[in-house]
Amino acid sequence: MDERAPPLDRETSAALRPADHKTELRLWLRLLTCATLIESGIRKRLRETFDVTLPRFDLMAQLDKTTGGLTLGELSQRMMVSNGNVTSIVEALVGQGLVDRRPSPQDRRAQVVSLTAEGRRFFRQMAAAHEVWIAETFAGLTPGESEQLMALLGKAKLSARSTFGEGSRP
């Protein structure tokens, strides 16, 4: 056995013994493998190119969609993470001068977070690079294949929602 061989991912393990795995399980593993590969690549490129984490990028993406800012609670809901996680990300971005935090005019106990001008400029630079990275990721597919994959994944999403309910919405 070659000691230098990389460990097999779950999908490859299932493919080596397809009789042991139903098609649906193999499909789930393929989707999971693809998502993990893409996410890992994006995390690495964000870190290497911009010295930023994916959660910071995601938070800034949420703020870029709004002009008035969002409360910590709204950010937490949109990102599907705890308020504590959002607070620590915001603290780091405030320290970098990329986001602003101010009391909410409706509820002085709540904090409204928004991008600074520098934060918006920096995020848009990252977003442009991110868009190129995603395009490179799917460059091996023809436009027709991309449309077909989108349609099939749309059906899979509807099936998942009917199985797990609307509360599991991303």
Side-chain angles (χ1 to χ4, degrees):
M1 179 174 168
D2 185 358
E3 301 267 337
R4 296 169 294 164
L8 296 178
D9 60 36
R10 289 171 283 203
E11 181 197 358
T12 304
S13 296
L16 291 175
R17 295 179 24 207
D20 291 351
H21 303 282
K22 291 184 176 179
T23 301
E24 295 83 2
L25 178 59
R26 291 191 350 257
L27 175 60
W28 161 243
L29 293 173
R30 168 93 28 114
L31 286 169
L32 186 59
T33 299
C34 287
T36 301
L37 283 169
I38 294 166
E39 183 179 328
S40 295
I42 295 299
R43 283 180 187 277
K44 181 179 181 203
R45 286 185 175 185
L46 282 170
R47 189 176 51 253
E48 290 174 351
T49 307
F50 297 103
D51 193 27
V52 74
T53 64
L54 185 57
R56 289 181 189 181
F57 176 86
D58 289 344
L59 188 139
M60 293 176 76
Q62 293 301 319
L63 294 175
D64 189 58
K65 296 175 187 174
T66 180
T67 54
L70 297 167
T71 66
L72 293 173
E74 290 169 329
L75 281 166
S76 175
Q77 285 180 328
R78 288 180 180 209
M79 295 176 67
M80 294 188 299
V81 297
S82 72
N83 282 341
N85 285 347
V86 167
T87 300
S88 65
I89 296 168
V90 166
E91 292 294 326
L93 292 171
V94 165
Q96 292 178 282
L98 300 173
V99 300
D100 237 353
R101 190 180 38 207
R102 65 190 181 289
S104 168
Q106 288 81 26
D107 180 356
R108 308 258 328 139
R109 296 168 296 173
Q111 296 283 313
V112 175
V113 181
S114 58
L115 288 172
T116 62
E118 172 64 16
R120 195 167 301 278
R121 184 200 63 74
F122 182 60
F123 173 75
R124 292 195 174 160
Q125 181 184 5
M126 288 189 298
H130 179 269
E131 187 175 332
V132 169
W133 300 334
I134 297 300
E136 290 171 353
T137 300
F138 294 103
L141 300 175
T142 67
E145 289 169 334
S146 293
E147 288 300 319
Q148 184 179 20
L149 183 56
M150 282 290 290
L152 291 171
L153 289 172
K155 285 179 77 171
K157 182 178 177 181
L158 286 174
S159 179
R161 280 203 176 139
S162 72
T163 301
F164 300 112
E166 286 296 312
S168 60
R169 208 182 268 205

